[in-house]
Amino acid sequence: MANIFFKKVREIILCFMAAGLLMAGCSEPSARQIKGPGQTLRVGTPMKLKQLNPLADYTYNILAMLLTHDTLIRLDENLRPIPQLARSWSANKDATVWTFDLVPNALWHDGKKVTSKDVKFTFDYLGKHDPAHAWIPSLIKEIKATPGRVIFTLNHPYSRFLINAGFIVRILPQHIWGHIMTPRAGETKEMTVGCGPYLFAQYDRTAGRMTFQRNPAYHGGAMGVETIEFYLNRNLDIITLSLKKGTIDLYYKYASGFPFPYLRGLTGAKNLQFITAPSMGISAVLGFNMAKKNMSDIKFRRALSLAINYRGINESLFMGKGTLPGSGFVPGTFPQQSKQPFLKQDTVRCRKILDDMNITDKNGDGIREDVDGRPLNLMLLARCDLEGHDVVTRRLVNDFKSVGIGITLKTADLSTWIAIVRKKEADLILFRTTPWGMMMGAGHGSGYFDSRREGGGVIANVRDTTFHHLCDEILSTTNPDTLKDLYGKMSDYYARTLPAIALGWHPVIYPCQNSYPVPPVNQIEGGILNRASLKKWGDAAIFQAGASVK
Amino acid sequence: MLLEINNVDKGYGHGRFHKKVCVLENVSLTLDKGKTVGIMGDSGKGKTTLGLLMAGVIRPDKGRILLNGQDIWAGSRKERDKKKAQIQMVFQHPEAAFNPRWTMEQSVREPCHIYKISLSPQDIADKMARVGLGTKLLKRYPSQLSGGELQRIALARLLTISPSVIVLDEPTSMLDVITQAKIIRLLMEIQENTGISFIFITHDRELARVMCHETHDIGDLSLPSSRVEIRIAAEEQTLDL
Amino acid sequence: MKHMTAAFCQYVLALLAVLALNFLLIHMMPGDPLVHILGEEGYYQMTRQPPAYIEKIRETYQLNDSLLKQFLTHISRALQGDLGWSHHHGRAVIKIIYPRMGWTLLLLIPSVIISTMAGGILGALAGGSPRGWMDRILTPFFLLIYSIPGYCLGLFLLILAFHVDALPMGGMPSVKTDMALYMMMPMGVLVLHSTAYKYMIMKNAVIQEIHEAYVMTARSKGLYDRDILFTHVVKNALPPFITVVAMHFGFMMGGSLVVEMVFSWQGMGTLIYDAVISRDYPLISGSFMIICASVILANALADVIHGVLDPRIRSGNRSNE
Amino acid sequence: MAFLTPASVLETGPMNKHSRNWKEGALILMAAALPGVSILFFKNMDIANALFSPWLPPGDGHLLGTNDVGQDIFFQLISAGGRSLMVGMAAALTATLVGTLTGCVAGYYRGIADRVIMGLADIFLLIPDIPLVIVLVSFFEPGLFNVIIVIAMTSWPGTARVVRSRMLKIKEYPFVLNARSLGAGDGHIIFKHILPHTGELILAKATLAVASAMLTETGISFLGLGDPCQVTWGSMLHGVFAGAGLINGYWWWYLPPVLCISVTVMGFNLAGFYLQKGWGGNFPADSPLNRQGQIPGKTHPEVPALTGINPPVLINNKDTQTLAPEPDTLNPISKPHNQAPDTQPPSFPLDRQIFRILNLGVEFGIECETNQKKTIKALDGVNLSLVKGDRMAIIGESGSGKSILFLAMLGLLPYNARMSGEVFFRGKRMASFSRKHYQHIRAWDIAYVPQGAGNALNPVIKVGHQISERMRIHGSISKKKGMVMAARLLGQTGITNSHQRVHYYPHQFSGGMNQRVLLAMALAGENSVLLADEPTKGLDDKTKEDVLNIFLKLNREAVAVVTHDLWFARQFAKTIVVMYKGIILEQAPADSFFTAPYHPYSKALLNALPSQGILNPVIMSSHNRYAETDPGDKHGGDSYRIDGGDDDDDDRSNKKNKEISRGCPWARECEEFHDRCRHMPRLFSHNIHKVRCWCHAAGN
C-alpha cells in the first residue's frame, strides 16, 4: 500500500510556508556598513529544526558537525583527511588496528578538558544507545584509551575506518551525556555543549532564528567570524528575495546547491557572486531492478538508456547548466576513475534493439508486448519529495512512451519507498545520491548497489560476485595506486553492466554576497559554509556590525 | 351503529427528550348512518386530532375505533386500507389539500388510482355536477381556483370512492360567509341524497346548531387528567405520525 | 435546561466519534514510522541489524500492541491532557500544540469577530433595502471574494507583498512589536472570505424577516425604518445567524490551514501538515482532536447564545425544524 | 473558508422554473463551464502532453508559453479544466445523491433511522474538512477517483440536512395526509407528492456542491496530494510553485489557472443562488406553490397567514413589501375605466371629516405563471369619508380589498402597489406628506390594530416593550415606566395579572391574548383615530364579547373597523359600509342596514348568517339567467379572485369576459339581474342609504 510521502512537496511547501523571517526586515533595508569586530554572518536555510538534540534531530546533527562539535579527523575540499581532535593517526598493515593521538589543549565549552576517555565513552555510548550507530559494536572489537591516545582494534580489515569513524562520529562530553539514558528523548541546553569552534548561543523557536558565538578557547585557534545567525525553515521565495536585497549573506542546505529554478530569479543581482563546483552527488539516478524479468538483460537496459532525452532533462532540471552523463555513473569530481563514453539519446538504435529482442507492438495500441505476449508495462518508483523529481518523472514517462514502453508511475515518500525497494516490486527506481552517499560502502556509489548492504536509501540491486570482490578489495587496501586502478575497474563495470544510469551530471551553485572573498567548497560539510571558509572569512573585516535583525 | 370510538387516548411527544403531552383522554363517541355529529370547542383543545383519529390517519395510543363493529386498525395493511377507505376527511385549508403541482383532474383521479377503481370521464363530470361545478375547472391548478371551488372539488374527489363517513374539519372557517352558506347547503343536500354521515368539527356554535343532528363539546368528550392548556401551535405543530 | 443537556451529550458523542475516526485512519496509514524517528541513515543502519534489535526498538516506541489497546490508552490519557509524546519534536504533544494553537487562535479569533461584525451589519443594511445602492454594490463584490479560493486570494496578496517592500512576505515576527504587520495579510484573507459568507447569510435572513407581520405592526406604530431594522428585524435574524457563525468557525479553522501555509504562519495548519508528512502519529491525533474540540466548543457556545437570544428556544418549546 | 458550503443555510422556498431568474442562472452556469467544456474538443488530443523546450515565455507558437517540463500551458489549461470540472461534477453528484437518499429516509421514516443519519451528518459537519481531507487523501492512493470519494464524504451532510427539513415540512401538509388517509403507499407519497417539491432545491444544492467540490479539489492538488499524471488546475498551480513561478514572475503560468478556477466557481455559485432564490431578488408571486392571483403581501390581512396544521413556509407567499420608502410620490394611473364619477357631494362639512377618500384606486402588478405582467385592482374608485365621532364598520368577504383601504389610509401600501385618487387626512392631501410627517401621524394621530393572524407580534421581544414602544421612541419615557403603562393597558383589555404577563413573550400567549396585546398597543398612544383590522378574527365567542366591550368603551374621535363578523358590526358600528371586489356596494346607518338592506349582495350576506338559519335558496349550481347566456361559465361565481386582466388564456371569448368585468361586480350572482347591470351602476343615494344598484336608481 504505497502512499505519498512528499518530502519534495515539503521542500516546496517549505519554500512557500516555512516560518519565513525576513532577515533585517524588508521594511528596513539597512545599507551595508563595514565595521570592525563583532561581524555577523547571516545564513538562510530551508532546513527545519524540531529539537536541540544532535543525536535525534537531522538538522541539528549537521549544525553540530559544522560548528559546535569536533570529530577525530576532518576531510578537506579535496577529500583528504586533515587533523582535528586527533593530531595524528596511524593504522597497521592490514587496517585492523587504528591509533589516534589527541590534541593536548582541547576544551569543552563548559571549560572541562577533553580526554581520550571522552572519545572511548562516545563510541561505547553511541554503540549501545543510538540505533543509528549500530555498526560500531559489529565493527570495533575493543577501544583502549590512554592519556592523549586512543587505539581501536577492529573485527575485520576496514581501510575506510578513518572516514567512517573519524569523520562521522561527533565526540560527546562524558560528564554530560553519561547520565542521559535515552539519547533521543527530549532536549536540554547542555546537550549543545561540544568542543567545536562555535558555542550555541540561543534559539527563538517561533521566529526560527538560531545564533552561534565564536569559541575563543578553541584548540585550533579562534575562528574569524564572530557570530553566525541561522534563519531556519525559510521558503526559497523569501531566501531568494533576501539574497537579492542583501539581508542574508549566503544560502546553506546540506548536500545540495541552490535550486536551479530559483537561480533564474537571482541572475540580475549585482551584489551576489555564484560559486560553482561539479557536484559530488547526482540529483537524478534511474536504477534498474536486476531481479525482474526483462531488466536482467543488459541489452534491454541498454535500450532503455538510449530512449532517454538527457538534453531535455538537462534543460528542464538544471536550466541547461548540467552536462551529458557518462556511462561510468561516477561524476568527474572523483579523480580515481576511468574515462567512459557519454550516454546519448538514440531512439532508432533503441527501437532496433527492442525489435531484435522480439519485443514489438503486436496489437497496435502503441505499447510493445514482451516475448510471452503481455504488454510491456514497467513500474517506475519515484520519490515524491526530491527536488525536481516530478519534472523528471513526467519526462521519463513521455520518453519511454515514445519508444513504445508503457510506464505505471508510483510515487512514494521515504518510508514507503524503502518498503517497496526492499520488496523488489518496482522495475525502475528513481532516486538521488548525496556526496556522503557516494563515499559510503567502498566509495564511488558502490554503497548504493552492493546487494549485501540492504535497507536505507540504497537499491542494492547488484548480486554479481565480481562486483562484491571488487568492493572487498577496495576496502582492504589503503595504497592510493591500487585504489586508483580498482576504482578504474569499477567505472568499467558500471559502463559495462549499467546497474543504474545517471540522468545528468550537474554543477552545484552556491550564491553568496560578493563582498566575501571566494570561499573553498567542501561538499561533505555541505558547500561553501565549512570550517575552512569560516577561518578565511574571519580575516577580511568585511562584515557589517550586528545589524538589528528582526 | 356506523362508527364508534371508545375511550381513545392520544398524546404528542415533543422533540427528542420531552415527555408526551396528552391531548385527548378516554374519548367516546358514536355516529349513526346518515346522521351528522358536531364537535365544537375552542382552538387548541384537540378537535383536529380527534378528526385525524377518526379518519384513521393517526393511530390512537389507547382505545379502539370501530367501523360497522370492526376495529379499523386491526388486520393486514390491505384490510386496514379497505376499511379506512370508508372514512375520509376534508381539511380546513382548501388550497393546502391539493398537491399544487398537479392539475385538478389528476387530484380527483388520485383516490380511484390508489384503489385501482376505474373512473370514466362521465363519472367525473357527474360528480362535479353533484357539487355544482363544470368540468372546465379540471384543467387548472389549485392555485387558480377560489377557496369555495377547491373545497367543493375536495368533496367531489371523495365522492368518487363513495365513503360512508366524511370527517369535516372546519371546512368553511377559511371561507367567507356566502361561500360558507353554499357549502353547508351543499353538504346537507349530499347527505340527503347519498346518506353519507358527517363528523362536523367547528368552533362556530351557530353553524354547528344549523348543520348537525347532535353536537358535543370537546371539553366534555375528552377529560384528560393532566389538562395542559395547549396553545393552538402545540396541538397541530408536531404530528408524530 | 433539558434542551442544554440534550445538546451537550450530542456534542460529547460527536467528539468521541471524531477521535475514533481520526485514530483509526491515522493508524491505518502504511509506511513504517520508524524511518522518521531514526532518520534516513539511522534507518538504514538499523535495518542491517538482527530482527531482535528491530523488535526492541519498535517496543520502545509502543508501535506493537493492538490498535484497540493503543486507542483506549490514548483516550484515557487524552482526557488527562496528556496527548502522548512526539518523538520528532522530543516534546509532549500537548506542549507542541499549545503555542501553535495560540498562534492559530491569534489569527482566528480577531478575524471571526471582525467578520461577524462587518458581515452582520453590512448584511442587515443591504437586506433592509433590497436592490438599494448598498445591495447593488456589496453583493457582487462579496460574491466575487467568496468564489475565489482562499489560497488564490492569499497568493495575490503575497504577490502584492513581493512588490511592495513594506509588507513582509509571510512568516512570523521575532520582535513582538510589529506582530500586526505580519498578521495583516493572513488575517486579511480570513476576514475577507468569512465576511463575504456572513454578509450573504445575514442579508437573506433579514430579507425573509422583513416580510413578517410584526414589521408591518412596527411601521404602523410610526417607528423609523432604521429602528425597525435594528431593533425588530435584526433581533429576529440574529439567532440563526449565530448558529451559522459557529458552523462557519469549523470551516474557518480548516481554511486557516491553507492560509497558514501560504503565509508560512506557525499555526495548527502547518503543524498538522508536517505531522501527516512525517507520519508523527501522536501529533496528528492530538492536533486533530484539539481542532475538533475547539470547533465543537464553538458550536456548543453558539447553541447557548442561540438559546439566550431566542426566547422560543429557551422555554423548551423548540419548533421541530 | 474556501471550502465551505453555504447551501445548508440559504435554503428558501422552491422557485418556479418559468421565472426570469432561472434563465440568468443558466446563462452564468454556461459561461462558467466554458473552459471545461472546451475539453470535449481537445480531450484526446495529445498536444497537451507533447514536449517542447521548457521555460518558454508566451510567444512564437505557444499562446501561453511552456511550463517546466516543456508542455504547452494553453492546452494544459484546457485539458486540466476538463478534469477539474469532471471531478467537481462527479463529487457533487455523489454527494447530492447520497444526501438526498439519506435526507428522504431520515425525514420520512423518522425514529432510529433519523437519529443515526442525523448523528452521522452532524459529526461530518462538525469535522473541519481540510485536515480530514488531507488525512484521507494521503491515506488513499493518489488518483482523481479517490479525491472524488473524499470530497463526497465531506459534503453529503449539507444536502441531507436540507432535504430532511424539507421532507419534515411537506410530510405534514394536508394533501399528504389526504393521500395517506386514502391508503396510498409510502412510495406513492414520496415520489408523487414530496419529491417534486424538493426538485429545485436538490438541483440548487447540487450546483453549489459542484462549486465547493471544485474548490476542495484544487486545494488538494495545490498541496501536491493529487495525482501527478492527471493534471488539474490545482496541480498546475502546484507546478508553478515548484518551479519558482511566483518569484520569477511567470504570470502566464499562474494567472490563467487562478482566473479559470475563480470564474468557474463563481459561475456555479451564482447559478446555485439563483436556483435557490437565495439571491436577494423578490419571489415571483405566481409560482405554483403560491396562491396565485391573491393580492401579494403576506402581511395583507385579507389573505390569512396559514396558521394551524401546516407550517407557513410553503404556502405563504413572500410579498415584495420592503422597508423602502412608502410610495409618497403617487404616480397617477389611468382613470378607472368607465367608472361613472360620483357626483354626490360629501354630505358632511369638511372640518368634521377626518378622512376623505376621493375615487381611490390601488393596483398591484404581479407576474403570473405564464409570465405575462398582470395587474390586479384591489380598490376600484372608492369614495368614503370617516366623520368625527363616527364608528364605521367595513364589511366584505376576504379579498374584497377592505384591508388595502386601511393600508392606503396609513400610507403602508406594499412596494409594488400603484395608487390613484386622493386621500385627505384632516383636510390635508396625504400624498404631499413627507416620510417624517407620515411617521408622526402613525405614532400620535392614527392607531392601527393589525390582524392577529401570523406573528404580528415580534416573537423575540417582550410583550410589554412592544406595547410601550410607541411611547418610548417618540414620547421618550423610560423602559421601566413603559412597562408599568403597558401593564395598565393590558389590564384594560381584560388580561388577568398583567403585571407579570407583561414580561412574557408572544409565543407564551394564546391567539386571543395576542389579539388583546395588539389592541393594547393601539390604545397606548391615546391616538384620536383607531383603525382596527379584523379584531375578532379566529377568536372564540367569549373572547369576541370581551373585545366588543373594549371597543364599546373606547372614546376616540373616530373608529373604523374592518370585519367579516356581522355580529360584531351589528353591536358596535354606527355606519356600515359593504365592499365587494374593491368596490363599495352600500353605505348605510347600522340599524337601518341590518333591518332592511337595499343591495341584493347585502341581503344575501345577511341571509347567509348561520344565526339566520342560512336562508339562502338552495342553489344546486351557481347558474342563473345571467350565466346561462354564457354556458361555459368557468367561475362558480363566488371566486373571490378579482377579475383583473384576462387570466384564463383558454377562454373562448376574451371580449365576453371583458364585458362582464365592466358590469356590476355582483351581477353574476344577483337575483334581481337586469340588462342594465351590464354597466357599472353609480352610487345612488336612497333616503339615508347609498347603494350601487340600478334597482334603486329611480330616486335620482
Side-chain angles (χ1 to χ4, degrees), chain A residues 1 3 5 9 16-20 26 48 51 131-132 134-135 184 186 205-207 238 245 414 422 453 456 550, chain C residues 30 35 37 44-45 47 49 87-88 90-91 103 155 165 169-171 174 178 261-262 264 270 273-274 277 279:
Chain A
M1 256 294 270
N3 70 337
F5 170 57
V9 167
F16 203 72
M17 69 102 186
C26 281
K48 179 189 289 296
Q51 54 180 328
W135 53 273
R184 308 190 64 76
R205 191 176 296 279
T206 35
I238 290 180
K245 290 192 171 140
L414 179 62
R422 195 179 301 135
R453 303 181 69 264
K550 274 202 289 311
Chain C
V35 166
I37 297 171
Y44 149 66
Q45 299 284 11
T47 46
Q49 298 318 315
H87 305 292
H88 288 279
R91 277 178 293 127
W103 288 111
L155 301 194
D165 274 354
M169 266 179 73
S174 51
D178 56 9
M261 287 198 179
V262 169
S264 40
T270 38
Y273 189 80
D274 284 348
I277 290 296
R279 286 296 168 290

Side-chain angles (χ1 to χ4, degrees), chain C residues 206-221:
Chain C
V206 163
I207 282 182
Q208 283 185 358
E209 288 298 326
I210 279 177
H211 302 141
E212 295 296 337
Y214 62 81
V215 173
M216 167 66 81
T217 332
R219 289 180 68 197
S220 70
K221 282 191 271 186

Side-chain angles (χ1 to χ4, degrees), chain D residues 84-144:
Chain D
S84 289
L85 257 174
M86 188 269 293
V87 167
M89 300 245 189
L93 204 63
T94 19
T96 314
L97 275 181
V98 170
T100 313
L101 204 65
T102 43
C104 281
V105 166
Y108 194 77
Y109 292 106
R110 305 300 305 274
I112 316 114
D114 185 11
R115 295 275 164 68
V116 165
I117 289 176
M118 279 307 121
L120 258 174
D122 287 349
I123 291 172
F124 270 101
L125 271 181
L126 271 181
I127 305 174
D129 55 355
I130 303 171
L132 179 64
V133 165
I134 287 183
V135 166
L136 290 182
V137 168
S138 42
F139 172 61
F140 293 131
E141 276 164 35
L144 292 185

Side-chain angles (χ1 to χ4, degrees), chain B residues 16 42 48 52 55 57 77 81 84 87-89 91 93 95-102 110-111 113-115 129-133 136-137 139-149 152 157-158 161 174 176-182 184-186 189 203-207 210 229 231-232 236-241, chain D residues 14-15 110 115 171-175 177-186 188 192-193 196-197 200 288-292 304 306-310 315 369 397-398 507-510 539-541 564 601 604-605 608-611 613-616 618-622 632 634-636 638-641 648 650 666 669:
Chain B
R16 293 195 186 94
D42 301 341
T48 309
L52 289 172
V57 176
R77 182 172 176 114
D81 286 349
K84 273 197 249 175
I87 316 167
Q88 292 304 331
M89 191 164 180
F91 294 94
H93 308 286
E95 61 268 9
F98 291 94
N99 185 339
R101 283 187 187 277
W102 287 12
E110 187 186 17
H113 169 70
I114 290 175
Y115 289 109
R130 172 70 58 84
V131 290
L133 289 176
K136 269 179 82 61
L137 297 186
K139 282 197 293 305
R140 311 227 333 285
Y141 282 93
S143 50
Q144 294 167 334
L145 300 175
S146 76
E149 286 160 350
R152 280 196 248 166
R157 170 164 72 169
L158 297 185
I161 48 172
M174 306 303 285
D176 54 273
V177 178
I178 294 177
T179 329
Q180 170 175 309
K182 281 192 193 132
I184 299 298
R185 297 309 298 252
L186 190 64
E189 215 180 311
H203 61 272
D204 182 341
R205 278 188 170 37
E206 283 108 13
L207 194 58
V210 167
E229 213 281 278
R231 283 185 322 91
I232 185 165
E236 275 115 3
Q237 189 167 354
T238 47
L239 293 173
D240 255 344
L241 304 186
Chain D
M15 187 186 74
R110 305 300 305 274
R115 295 275 164 68
K171 192 162 71 95
E172 291 168 13
Y173 269 70
F175 63 87
L177 296 187
N178 208 347
R180 173 168 298 133
S181 73
L182 290 169
D186 288 350
H188 173 83
K192 286 269 190 341
H193 283 300
H197 294 290
E200 282 109 348
L289 288 176
N290 291 335
R291 185 91 186 78
Q292 192 203 355
L306 265 183
T307 51
I309 262 195
N310 33 31
I315 290 301
E369 199 162 60
E397 58 200 55
S398 54
H507 70 274
Q508 292 162 309
F509 282 78
S510 74
L539 302 182
D540 48 50
D541 299 350
H564 69 282
Y601 174 70
L605 207 56
L609 276 179
S611 50
I614 309 186
L615 309 173
N616 303 56
V618 177
I619 24 161
M620 264 305 292
S621 73
S622 63
K634 62 181 177 356
H635 272 272
D638 65 343
S639 140
Y640 76 101
R641 238 191 32 65
D648 302 317
D650 57 11
W666 182 243
E669 303 276 328

Side-chain angles (χ1 to χ4, degrees), chain A residues 430-541:
Chain A
L430 189 65
F431 62 103
R432 68 155 186 182
T433 66
T434 60
W436 174 248
M438 296 299 276
M439 310 273 289
M440 261 189 327
H444 283 226
S446 58
Y448 285 102
F449 306 118
D450 189 338
S451 60
R452 295 167 299 174
R453 303 181 69 264
E454 273 279 336
V458 296
I459 59 172
N461 56 348
V462 177
R463 278 198 171 40
D464 184 350
T465 50
T466 51
F467 181 73
H468 291 182
H469 292 324
L470 185 58
C471 292
D472 296 346
E473 260 177 67
I474 293 174
L475 280 177
S476 57
T477 137
T478 51
N479 168 342
D481 303 340
T482 46
L483 277 178
K484 187 166 179 356
D485 78 351
L486 283 176
Y487 280 128
K489 280 213 202 75
M490 183 174 276
S491 327
D492 297 345
Y493 183 83
Y494 284 150
R496 204 173 58 252
T497 59
L498 282 183
I501 49 175
L503 293 175
W505 287 342
H506 55 88
V508 190
I509 300 170
Y510 304 103
C512 111
Q513 300 299 338
N514 53 19
S515 54
Y516 289 76
V518 176
V521 173
N522 179 342
Q523 296 193 32
I524 294 294
E525 289 191 4
I528 51 175
L529 186 63
N530 48 52
R531 295 278 175 99
S533 60
L534 287 171
K535 195 121 187 81
K536 183 174 181 187
W537 282 339
D539 323 335

